[in-house]
Amino acid sequence: MPHCDAKKQGCGGCPLLMTPYPEQLAQKQQRINRLMAPFGKPRPILGMEDPWHYRNKAIATFTRRGGQLAAGIYQEGTHRVVPARECLLVSRQLNQALEAAVWAAEKCGYQPYQEDRGRGLVRHIQARHAFATGQVLVSLVTAGPFLPGGRKFARLLRQKAPFVESVVQNINPGHTSAVLGRQEKLLYGSGRIRDELCGKSFLLSSRSFYQINPAQTRQLYELARQAADCKEGETVIDAYCGAGTIGLIAGQGAGKLLGVELNRDAVADAIRNARYNKAQNARFYCADASDWMAEMAARGEKADLVFMDPPRQGSSPKFLNSLLALAPERVVYISCGPESLARDLGILTRGGYRVREIWPVDMFPHTEHIETVVLLSRETNPLTVEVRMEVETGEVKEHPTYKRIQEYVQEKYGFKVHTAYIAEVKRMVGLDMHKAPNAVEQRKHEYHPCPPEKVEAIKDALRHFGLIAE
Ligand code: SAH
């Protein structure tokens, strides 16, 4: 079994490291069989052939050890940094990139940030590795915006790790356990790397959401694609869509692909990914998935197929009841929390769906997590199923992206822009407008076209949010 020096000191990253891999798989199989017993018999769990160095993202926190700059991992449940030079979960290139980054930071004389005193400069390093192209993106997270010798840092780092394609400085001044802040400065390259997955290309920035085990993600998405069996012309929803990967891969051929996601950076990535992969049928919405589904249901819309991939705590009764009202023929539930999955399947099966397949996938070897793909299909005529809807009444809320655009323009240019102007500019630049829930078919007032300075400001905002190219 490979050796891990952090294990002795207990970084806590791999609680099952001492359990042989076949035994880990057997334990996970038992757990999923037990939880899924009311719904059907799961298929054998899909394990990894080589369950080491599978992660495409690594994060290390700066500290000082023996007078020298070092970086390591927080010990589980604490803010004590345990040095981990050769993590067994992250790819070898990432270990190399982290080591090179620490060396370059030491050469540049950077001081580690001390959380308790609020002093020092460098907080963390994050490195992402696009396995398919070999490109690596390194983000140096600093407490303040000023980074003396930032370009030198990038140059030194690339001397030791020439495969690093891009280097960014991420500024995180907050007293927070979140690793990344919102603001970034480019130190080298484009700030993005490109990966390929199931025949599609995806651009990743430091803040993009992306599955962390590429080999198993391929298996997971192939299963989702097979389960979905998406047919031409169908309306497909990708709920909790992140950067849009599942819908774009497994919903290929759909007539209409509608993605919904709460994180606006992920939505911007999804829009960019759809354009990059020439998926003209795709629309992505930044909203709470439960509210969005309830609004769809309240408008009496229909869908043929719904992918749902909620966070570990699962979905909500509001989402599930709206799903029952939308009555898609098939639902593909992708879950990283088997307990919440069992709870949600209970609601869907009571609402007239039947579980057809359960495929567990080992996305996170040496940890206790289990990923599962479940295919459900509608058993009863939706009209005969009693559905308890909890749709809020009152005015439908405005699409949050508009609000963000208005805030951005107000902050940068100091003037307000009407949503009608935003809609006009979106149309002007070829961003197809979805049927907004609050769209007015007939104008109440005479309409004046958007003034040129506002057109420019809105275009700038659209560029900022990644809705149009730079
Ligand atoms: N399907 C994507 C991401 C799955 S992770 C993929 O395979 O890569 C779960 C996603 O749900 C995250 O991107 C998270 O931001 C999003 N999310 C969490 N709560 C949400 C909510 N209430 N509404 C919409 N999206 C939500």
Side-chain angles (χ1 to χ4, degrees), residues 18-285:
M18 291 313 182
T19 310
Y21 190 54
E23 177 60 27
Q24 291 181 25
L25 291 176
Q27 285 176 8
K28 290 185 184 186
Q29 185 80 53
Q30 264 178 15
R31 188 165 140 227
I32 197 77
N33 286 357
R34 183 168 44 76
L35 285 162
M36 292 295 110
F39 311 107
K41 189 170 185 296
R43 301 258 183 162
I45 187 164
L46 275 172
M48 293 190 79
E49 242 166 63
D50 175 12
W52 305 105
H53 300 290
Y54 61 80
R55 281 184 65 108
N56 60 10
K57 184 164 110 173
I59 294 169
T61 300
F62 281 106
T63 185
R64 195 159 275 290
R65 214 152 281 271
Q68 282 219 316
L69 195 65
I73 300 167
Y74 282 135
Q75 187 180 30
E76 201 180 14
T78 75
H79 271 201
R80 199 174 80 84
V81 177
V82 178
R85 272 190 38 245
E86 282 294 323
C87 173
L88 294 173
L89 300 198
V90 310
S91 76
R92 293 182 175 83
Q93 285 88 330
L94 289 181
N95 277 328
Q96 220 178 313
L98 293 187
E99 205 176 318
V102 175
W103 175 81
E106 173 84 332
K107 282 264 178 219
C108 291
Y110 298 152
Q111 297 300 317
Y113 177 70
Q114 293 167 288
E115 239 183 353
D116 43 351
R117 298 194 191 168
R119 283 218 299 253
L121 177 62
V122 288
R123 298 183 76 153
H124 314 280
I125 325 163
Q126 177 187 275
R128 307 191 85 147
H129 181 191
F131 278 26
T133 60
Q135 298 176 354
V136 169
L137 167 67
V138 171
S139 315
L140 178 67
V141 185
T142 59
F146 185 58
L147 179 68
R151 284 181 198 284
K152 178 179 165 199
F153 166 78
R155 189 164 31 86
L156 289 171
L157 163 58
R158 292 191 66 259
Q159 251 173 38
K160 283 248 174 196
F163 49 82
V164 172
E165 187 78 12
S166 185
V167 184
V168 298
Q169 176 195 356
N170 177 287
I171 302 153
N172 185 359
H175 291 283
T176 159
S177 55
V179 172
L180 298 177
R182 288 205 60 88
Q183 209 193 333
E184 288 201 345
K185 287 185 190 166
L186 203 54
L187 299 178
Y188 177 81
S190 68
R192 295 206 179 92
I193 50 175
R194 190 177 61 82
D195 202 12
E196 281 160 20
L197 199 57
C198 305
K200 302 271 172 200
S201 279
F202 297 101
L203 284 176
L204 310 176
S205 59
S206 65
R207 298 161 48 82
S208 305
F209 182 88
Y210 202 55
Q211 298 281 359
I212 53 92
N213 182 337
Q216 293 300 83
T217 301
R218 211 173 303 125
Q219 305 239 41
L220 186 79
Y221 287 178
E222 283 301 342
L223 281 173
R225 170 150 59 189
Q226 188 188 322
D229 187 23
C230 184
K231 298 176 194 79
E232 225 169 275
E234 288 190 321
T235 296
V236 176
I237 292 176
D238 181 1
Y240 308 92
C241 68
T245 40
I246 290 182
L248 290 171
I249 291 170
Q252 224 171 327
K256 226 182 343 171
L257 170 64
L258 308 172
V260 58
E261 160 65 46
L262 196 55
N263 178 319
R264 61 172 175 266
D265 294 316
V267 176
D269 284 335
I271 292 168
R272 196 181 287 119
N273 286 333
R275 296 193 153 240
Y276 200 71
N277 290 290
K278 301 192 173 34
Q280 275 139 356
N281 60 343
R283 299 285 174 276
F284 292 96
Y285 300 87

Side-chain angles (χ1 to χ4, degrees), residues 3-12 17-18 75 80 82-83:
H3 165 77
C4 172
D5 57 349
K7 176 66 194 166
K8 288 198 292 274
Q9 299 162 78
C11 90
L17 192 62
M18 291 313 182
Q75 187 180 30
R80 199 174 80 84
V82 178

